[in-house]
Amino acid sequence: MNWKELFEYVIKPISRNTRSDLAVAAAIIAGVSTGEIKLPEELVKHEILNKILEKTKLEGNIRDRSLQILKNTENEEFRELLEEFFKLIVESPIFYELLTVMSTNTGFLNIMRNALHTLNMLKLISEEEIKTYLDRVSGYLDELEGFVTYYRVPKSIDEVIAEFRLPREWTNEKDFESLFIMDDRLREAYNKILNNIGEKIIIVGRPGVGKTALMFKVWKDLSKMFNTGILLPNVPIRRLHEEYGVILFYDDLPRIGDAALKTLVGVKNIIATAREHEFNEMLRRYPKLRGEFVVVRLTEASGDFLKTMLIKYLENAGIDYEEEAIKLAVEKARGAPIYLYHLYKELKAKKLEERHAKLTVAIAKAIPEGTREYVGEILANVLRKAKGKYGILLALKSMTLTRTGAIHDAHFSTLYELSSDKMGEERDWDAFTSIHDILDYNPEEMTLRFPHDSWIDVLKGRSEAIAGLVHVVDAKVSDREKEELLVDSARISWERVIADAKYLLARGLLEETDARKVLSLANSILTNWETFPLSDLESLEKIAKEWRRVLGEMANYALEGIRKLTEKGLESIDVMLSEAKREIGLGNIDKAKELLNKILEIDPSNRKALNNLGVILFNEGREEEALRLFMRARTPIALYNAAYIHYKKGELDTAEKLFREALENGAGPDAMFNLALTLFRLGKKDEALKWIERYMREAPDDKSAERLRNLIIRSG
């Protein structure tokens, strides 16, 4: 039997029901035992292979023997031997021979990629070595365009912890075993999941009852025997993972995005979570999904469970407590473990800062009742003393409107800048950093998410602690305007990041961190807006292709996004802009408006379309609507137009600020003249004189400028 036959008849079918690395190792050992597969002598005589063969009675053909070997992997010691043998295969010359022979088989390459990721997660080989092997596999997949791009294989337990927004302590095996409590409700749910592996399973319950924690426990146990992956948001789901034997996970499935939900019908090998009401809403929107799920409902935790959990966390961190304080805290948790975890995190932070912490009755009495109020109090403690509290709150509220509740770090910073401007506040970067530190950061994707979905309820005003602040923001900024802030900040952050990357790329200085920033931002934006017209696709494509071997799925997801944008024909925007300009010149205003609105449907942040439509609305007497569009566009001419509206309304301070901003961004001489006029009306005559004289150097034949200059001099 040759390598191709071994893959097709043995490895491929058995890897559907077991981990890829174990399947490959078992198949090769079975082949060696029948004499049909030849290995280097040092591998044949290796003590690990001999131990495996001693512990297994092998009979029948290669496939039968492979299954007999895999049956023993329920024993942890035996499984570790098989993992070590796979490591020996990878480190031997036979691995490259195998890859060369199978270099045109995408199925084999994807299975081998899964196996290598498992080796990395087990930390049996250094990251540097794994990267070398993955580069080789990825190189072949590149040539075949054979990457699977709707899920990713986690490289470490830390990556899964970050994705699921779970306690960092759980990355340590001993800590997890001591901190995770399996009560009757969790055990019943856990067994139901294991009894239905291979189906489409969803864990449903109210916020904070432990849905994600249970899913992590399931992932952790299944990953010992099966291939696992994490679904990517808002990407059409295919069924290749079923063929490769990969069980896919996702936290908050209803928020995965329409592109994924539309393609979920019939798909199996998925385990996910959902809040009860969001699950019901998802079924209402996608009725074809009704009856497709094995539903596992998780009820509230008992008082005994919560008490045990809190004590374990406190003792693990060396935090003292009073028995009565434990009782009070458990009562206030109202059946939600997440409440007590928030309390534990606060006490742990206090211990790090002061070297001692204790849960006292006084503290337990002071903490608010219920998860929402607790989260509200956490936010209020930062916002009350912040100079820029409304800008921060607006940025957070805008973030809740994203499809996945996640936002790229660079995007969030820009969103805060625009939010501060919208609320008329100075930027308070210290307070922003405090909020940033509270949010969950995923270093792999460079994204921020809320620590728990209860934050979304709180930011809707469902916590007395910040309800007043939320009302102020909502009264000033509509949900539509929040969406516009999200879109505009996405465009600005992208333009900044791609410009920096292009500069580094041209000089050969682009490093992995820079490439990751570009690709992760592109992916984050395209997750939320599938047809978002990212500028400079050429540079993005070049970066994605150059770093594809290193950044794998991240690069491929970006390339898939570029392909979709190209298919949508977004280059037609320039044609439509030209047509709109021509229609305006011909006096066909309604036709021009139709074209401009069509552009904004495709590209909600297109600056030229925003400005041109603003000009039309201004000429129709719809000044407030025009002003909103000019402020979104923020091009030099748009800023000039906005400043003129404020000047006309007598809002001279705002007009001055915008005329200056327009000039800083390259506006023409007219902005100098109008700034001089505005300054004169504000009584700032010396500065007005400087600006009008500067204007006269640019436009020496303008008699009106001379008259204004004389007026300024005479009034002085």
Side-chain angles (χ1 to χ4, degrees):
M1 181 177 282
N2 59 36
W3 290 118
K4 289 183 180 179
E5 290 170 334
L6 185 71
F7 172 71
E8 287 298 331
Y9 300 119
V10 184
I11 295 173
K12 185 177 178 181
I14 67 174
S15 67
R16 289 174 186 157
N17 297 303
T18 195
R19 238 170 51 196
S20 295
D21 59 316
L22 301 178
V24 172
I28 291 174
I29 292 170
V32 169
S33 72
T34 65
E36 294 172 74
I37 294 295
K38 303 297 180 185
L39 292 181
E41 191 174 346
E42 64 269 20
L43 284 179
V44 174
K45 292 183 176 180
H46 202 284
E47 62 175 338
I48 289 176
L49 177 58
N50 290 324
K51 282 182 181 179
I52 292 170
L53 292 172
E54 285 170 11
K55 292 175 181 287
T56 314
K57 184 180 179 181
L58 299 178
E59 296 175 335
N61 60 31
I62 292 182
R63 182 169 178 177
D64 292 337
R65 294 178 180 222
S66 299
L67 293 173
Q68 289 158 16
I69 292 168
L70 289 171
K71 190 175 181 181
N72 287 341
T73 55
E74 293 173 6
N75 177 287
E76 188 175 349
E77 185 182 338
F78 185 86
R79 187 171 66 245
E80 287 174 357
L81 284 173
L82 212 54
E83 290 165 354
E84 287 288 346
F85 183 73
F86 179 71
K87 174 192 169 187
L88 291 174
I89 292 290
V90 170
E91 291 176 331
S92 76
I94 200 74
F95 178 69
Y96 287 106
E97 178 189 325
L98 182 56
L99 285 185
T100 303
V101 172
M102 301 297 291
S103 62
T104 58
N105 189 310
T106 57
F108 172 81
L109 293 169
N110 273 298
I111 285 174
M112 192 57 73
R113 184 172 60 119
N114 292 342
L116 289 170
H117 279 308
T118 301
L119 209 58
N120 184 41
M121 186 174 287
L122 294 170
K123 295 182 168 46
L124 291 175
I125 294 183
S126 71
E127 280 191 35
E128 199 58 42
E129 283 182 272
I130 281 288
K131 186 178 171 185
T132 303
Y133 303 132
L134 280 169
D135 280 355
R136 186 73 172 264
V137 173
S138 299
Y140 290 133
L141 282 168
D142 273 351
E143 293 167 12
L144 300 169
E145 296 188 349
F147 272 101
V148 179
T149 54
Y150 64 94
Y151 70 86
R152 75 172 189 274
V153 180
K155 302 179 187 69
S156 67
I157 192 169
D158 302 68
E159 189 179 326
V160 180
I161 288 286
E163 178 69 27
F164 291 175
R165 297 170 292 169
L166 290 169
R168 302 281 183 232
E169 295 86 349
W170 287 9
T171 57
N172 181 284
E173 178 79 24
K174 285 185 179 178
D175 284 345
F176 174 75
E177 292 302 327
S178 66
L179 294 172
F180 185 83
I181 305 164
M182 184 73 90
D183 63 356
D184 289 342
R185 71 192 178 100
L186 289 175
R187 189 172 292 104
E188 183 181 342
Y190 177 86
N191 290 335
K192 186 174 181 179
I193 293 168
L194 291 195
N195 289 335
N196 286 280
I197 293 301
E199 299 297 324
K200 185 157 54 201
I201 302 168
I202 192 151
I203 307 166
V204 175
R206 78 175 184 87
V209 296
K211 302 183 295 295
T212 309
L214 174 62
M215 184 169 69
F216 175 73
K217 166 67 175 170
V218 171
W219 171 84
K220 196 168 182 298
D221 290 348
L222 290 182
S223 65
K224 292 174 182 176
M225 295 298 298
F226 295 93
N227 300 309
T228 62
I230 296 173
L231 280 165
L232 295 172
N234 210 36
V235 179
I237 299 172
R238 296 150 69 195
R239 303 190 69 168
L240 287 171
H241 67 284
E242 295 176 38
E243 184 181 335
Y244 299 148
V246 180
I247 301 172
L248 299 179
F249 291 77
Y250 199 81
D251 192 28
D252 287 339
L253 186 66
R255 295 168 184 254
I256 196 172
D258 292 339
L261 292 173
K262 286 175 183 174
T263 53
L264 194 55
V265 177
V267 179
K268 297 194 173 185
N269 260 26
I270 287 178
I271 301 173
T273 67
R275 299 167 88 176
E276 184 83 51
H277 70 279
E278 289 185 350
F279 176 61
N280 293 333
E281 175 62 17
M282 180 182 76
L283 295 182
R284 187 190 67 76
R285 289 175 56 217
Y286 300 96
K288 289 183 179 178
L289 288 173
R290 291 184 185 277
E292 288 231 331
F293 291 94
V294 173
V295 180
V296 178
R297 283 193 161 79
L298 205 56
T299 57
E300 294 177 1
S302 67
D304 287 342
F305 173 90
L306 294 173
K307 178 181 177 181
T308 305
M309 171 197 152
L310 180 56
I311 289 172
K312 280 195 171 192
Y313 270 97
L314 295 177
E315 289 181 347
N316 187 66
I319 297 170
D320 296 332
Y321 58 88
E322 296 173 4
E323 287 291 341
E324 186 61 25
I326 295 285
K327 183 181 176 183
L328 281 170
V330 167
E331 287 173 1
K332 289 187 173 185
R334 297 178 183 174
I338 190 65
Y339 177 95
L340 298 177
Y341 183 64
H342 281 309
L343 172 60
Y344 156 73
K345 279 194 359 181
E346 278 204 79
L347 290 167
K348 188 177 179 184
K350 184 179 180 183
K351 185 182 179 186
L352 286 172
E353 191 175 325
E354 301 175 11
R355 297 191 177 183
H356 178 75
K358 183 176 182 179
L359 176 58
T360 63
V361 171
I363 290 174
K365 285 181 177 179
I367 56 179
E369 194 162 333
T371 303
R372 288 176 184 169
E373 289 307 322
Y374 204 140
V375 173
E377 195 61 39
I378 290 170
L379 282 170
N381 286 336
V382 176
L383 296 175
R384 282 183 193 129
K385 51 194 175 187
K387 296 174 186 174
K389 54 179 165 284
Y390 294 116
I392 292 171
L393 193 53
L394 176 55
L396 290 170
K397 283 187 67 65
S398 299
M399 183 176 159
T400 66
L401 300 176
T402 59
R403 277 179 170 163
T404 60
I407 189 170
H408 193 274
D409 201 3
H411 184 181
F412 187 57
S413 298
T414 309
L415 175 61
Y416 171 58
E417 291 175 19
L418 298 194
S419 297
S420 296
D421 294 345
K422 187 77 174 176
M423 297 305 296
E425 291 180 329
E426 288 186 19
R427 291 160 194 166
D428 186 344
W429 290 108
D430 289 338
F432 172 82
T433 301
S434 298
I435 288 292
H436 187 285
D437 290 346
I438 295 172
L439 297 173
D440 273 350
Y441 179 66
N442 184 328
E444 181 78 12
E445 298 175 1
M446 298 185 172
T447 54
L448 295 160
R449 295 180 73 182
F450 296 117
H452 190 260
D453 48 13
S454 56
W455 277 58
I456 295 171
D457 295 328
V458 171
L459 289 164
K460 288 178 179 176
R462 295 172 188 165
S463 165
E464 290 182 10
I466 64 165
L469 298 177
V470 170
H471 177 72
V472 171
V473 171
D474 287 342
K476 185 166 183 177
V477 186
S478 68
D479 280 351
R480 177 183 172 184
E481 289 174 297
K482 294 182 188 97
E483 284 270 17
E484 289 170 353
L485 281 172
L486 264 179
V487 171
D488 293 344
S489 54
R491 171 180 48 76
I492 294 167
S493 61
W494 173 253
E495 288 172 353
R496 290 173 178 172
V497 168
I498 195 65
D500 289 346
K502 191 175 181 179
Y503 175 86
L504 295 171
L505 193 64
R507 287 157 181 76
L509 299 173
L510 193 79
E511 297 182 355
E512 182 180 337
T513 304
D514 307 309
R516 185 181 293 278
K517 186 175 183 179
V518 172
L519 298 175
S520 59
L521 178 57
N523 294 344
S524 175
I525 291 172
L526 292 175
T527 295
N528 285 294
W529 303 279
E530 291 175 56
T531 58
F532 195 100
L534 297 173
S535 59
D536 202 352
L537 288 180
E538 187 179 342
S539 293
L540 173 59
E541 184 174 19
K542 187 174 182 182
I543 291 168
K545 286 181 175 178
E546 284 188 7
W547 289 89
R548 197 174 186 183
R549 292 191 178 188
V550 177
L551 298 177
E553 289 98 336
M554 184 178 286
N556 279 284
Y557 188 24
L559 290 169
E560 180 71 8
I562 293 169
R563 184 187 64 77
K564 287 179 182 175
L565 290 176
T566 305
E567 280 182 359
K568 296 280 184 183
L570 295 181
E571 64 275 3
S572 63
I573 284 178
D574 290 336
V575 175
M576 284 192 285
L577 279 169
S578 298
E579 287 179 14
K581 189 175 180 181
R582 183 171 62 84
E583 295 296 346
I584 292 170
L586 294 171
N588 299 327
I589 302 303
D590 287 343
K591 179 63 176 174
K593 283 165 68 175
E594 183 184 330
L595 286 164
L596 292 169
N597 280 313
K598 190 173 180 181
I599 291 168
L600 292 172
E601 283 179 18
I602 300 170
D603 178 5
S605 65
N606 189 282
R607 296 182 176 193
K608 290 181 180 178
L610 288 167
N611 182 69
N612 291 345
L613 187 57
V615 171
I616 291 173
L617 295 179
F618 176 76
N619 290 332
E620 291 178 347
R622 297 158 66 180
E623 291 187 0
E624 288 303 318
E625 293 174 74
L627 183 59
R628 185 174 63 82
L629 294 176
F630 292 144
M631 291 307 294
R632 288 191 61 207
R634 297 191 86 89
T635 59
I637 186 63
L639 289 166
Y640 173 86
N641 291 336
Y644 177 73
I645 291 175
H646 283 291
Y647 177 85
K648 188 180 170 192
K649 291 166 68 177
E651 297 167 351
L652 300 179
D653 288 331
T654 305
E656 178 195 349
K657 178 185 174 185
L658 290 172
F659 279 131
R660 289 185 186 279
E661 190 176 343
L663 285 164
E664 287 169 6
N665 284 278
D670 284 352
M672 298 179 192
F673 182 95
N674 282 287
L675 176 58
L677 187 59
T678 303
L679 291 166
F680 175 61
R681 287 188 60 188
L682 284 167
K684 301 177 181 179
K685 296 173 185 177
D686 290 344
E687 204 173 351
L689 185 60
K690 289 178 184 176
W691 277 106
I692 197 62
E693 288 178 345
R694 185 172 170 182
Y695 171 76
M696 290 173 72
R697 289 194 291 273
E698 296 284 337
D701 298 328
D702 189 340
K703 301 299 180 186
S704 61
E706 191 174 335
R707 286 195 294 274
L708 177 57
R709 178 177 179 276
N710 292 336
L711 183 61
I712 294 169
I713 292 170
R714 282 201 304 272
S715 67

